[in-house]
Amino acid sequence: MIAQQDSELADAAIAAGQAAAQVFGLPDLRDKAGRQGGDVAGLGTGSSIDFHDQRNYLPGDDVRHINWQAYGRTGTYTMKLFREEVQPLVDVIIDCSSSMYFDPDKARRSLELVAFVAFAVARSQASGRFWKVGVGHPVPIAAEDIVTGRWTHEIKGGGEWDGDLAEVPLRRSSVRLLVGDLLHEGPPSTTLLPLAEGAGLVLVWAPFCHEEAEPSWRENCELEDAESGSRRAVWCDAGMLGRYHDAYMRHFALWEDKALRLGARLARIASDGPLDEALLAVAGEDRAVRLCR
């Protein structure tokens, strides 16, 4: 669970995500997915002469589009935004339910993945929108709040999410990326069908930790539901561990099957070890993460 004062964890996650975005990225957005047919104007740092707006500079932005006149006045780096006929659109959905943050390693990996995608979107010069779910209605997050870690101050880690994405305003032909552990009770179709409808590409990054995949429960123990916080005493023997493991594997087999049927790219990303090693394990052509160099 993320504490509001735990800025060290957020800072470390931002550093790891920024470093990873220099080596890894989203699939080739302009050539494979997320393209607009020229009928939708994007907001990006493009080459059009139609100046539209500006925003704060993010690491990975093209320095050719820094507004140097504004820098001379304010001392702050800002980016000129232009209207483009064609620009990749990326809609990112972040699962903020309790199960994402109950384990310290999983919490760290979850924050790293969110930071990584924010920097990767900026580096690709895509139009990114970020939403958090599992906290009631979907809530938008500014990209600047992600790369500075401010968004972590509002993570309570106390909500239950049923996987329903119907209320998230996904854009037509956008690349849709879900950062979530897929441990909610809703069926895969509740989540994947809204993601796939009208999408240019669907990506799912599912962080997991060793303790949930291979738990170390022994004999008389108390188990806590990571989503609801409810506890119950159980006697855990080899038989129970075996049944849990079988159910766990069946759960993700259902997700993988549904993702395959819908053309979604699903990557389960381990929480142990450095972020770059975890991404390298799932990166490749036509996979959910791209190795850029």
Side-chain angles (χ1 to χ4, degrees):
M1 185 176 295
I2 307 302
Q4 182 167 347
Q5 68 273 19
D6 196 356
S7 60
E8 291 185 5
L9 178 61
D11 291 344
I14 292 167
Q18 183 176 0
Q22 303 304 312
V23 182
F24 301 93
L26 303 177
D28 196 331
L29 304 183
R30 294 184 184 273
D31 293 338
K32 294 184 179 179
R35 293 183 60 118
Q36 303 299 310
D39 59 337
V40 177
L43 295 180
T45 52
S47 57
S48 167
I49 62 173
D50 182 13
F51 176 74
H52 178 73
D53 201 350
Q54 62 182 24
R55 63 164 171 79
N56 291 336
Y57 170 83
L58 297 175
D61 283 339
D62 190 337
V63 296
R64 293 174 298 176
H65 300 296
I66 291 177
N67 189 338
W68 293 110
Q69 290 180 331
Y71 175 77
R73 294 193 307 269
T74 66
T76 301
Y77 292 110
T78 57
M79 301 297 295
K80 293 180 179 180
L81 300 180
F82 301 89
R83 284 199 178 273
E84 293 182 296
E85 289 186 353
V86 178
Q87 183 191 22
L89 306 178
V90 182
D91 293 326
V92 180
I93 301 99
I94 305 165
D95 179 2
C96 290
S97 58
S98 298
S99 61
M100 292 283 285
Y101 306 102
F102 82 97
D103 176 85
D105 286 339
K106 188 175 179 182
R108 171 181 50 80
R109 179 66 80 235
S110 298
L111 295 182
E112 289 174 346
L113 290 174
V114 173
F116 165 55
V117 70
F119 285 112
V121 167
R123 186 181 184 190
S124 68
Q125 298 186 4
S127 170
R129 292 182 182 176
F130 302 83
W131 299 86
K132 59 182 179 181
V133 296
V135 288
H137 296 292
V139 178
I141 313 173
E144 290 85 354
D145 288 345
I146 293 178
V147 298
T148 59
R150 287 194 298 267
W151 82 283
T152 63
H153 298 168
E154 301 178 3
I155 298 178
K156 307 301 182 183
E160 286 189 76
W161 182 44
D162 61 3
D164 190 357
L165 294 177
E167 292 188 43
V168 180
L170 301 170
R171 292 172 289 178
R172 181 178 64 84
S173 299
S174 65
V175 173
R176 285 87 180 266
L177 168 62
L178 170 64
V179 181
D181 59 12
L182 313 181
L183 291 180
H184 49 270
E185 293 186 1
S189 57
T190 301
T191 303
L192 293 177
L193 287 178
L195 275 180
E197 184 177 2
L201 180 66
V202 175
L203 308 172
V204 180
W205 295 350
F208 72 95
C209 63
H210 178 77
E211 183 61 22
E212 75 184 39
E214 299 287 345
S216 57
W217 311 328
R218 291 294 182 272
E219 300 181 346
N220 190 19
C221 57
E222 186 177 53
L223 302 184
E224 178 179 353
D225 189 308
E227 294 286 287
S228 67
S230 61
R231 294 171 174 265
R232 65 187 181 111
V234 298
W235 179 264
C236 185
D237 56 14
M240 179 182 175
L241 282 175
R243 291 190 295 273
Y244 172 89
H245 182 265
D246 290 345
Y248 186 85
M249 298 301 292
R250 286 196 304 271
H251 176 85
F252 284 102
L254 290 174
W255 277 94
E256 290 165 357
D257 179 69
K258 191 65 176 180
L260 182 63
R261 291 174 183 271
L262 293 174
R265 305 182 188 180
L266 188 158
R268 297 192 63 223
I269 301 175
S271 61
D272 56 320
L275 176 62
D276 57 352
E277 292 183 7
L279 293 176
L280 183 61
V282 299
E285 187 176 357
D286 295 326
R287 301 185 74 177
V289 178
R290 179 168 61 100
L291 181 63
C292 299
R293 65 183 186 190

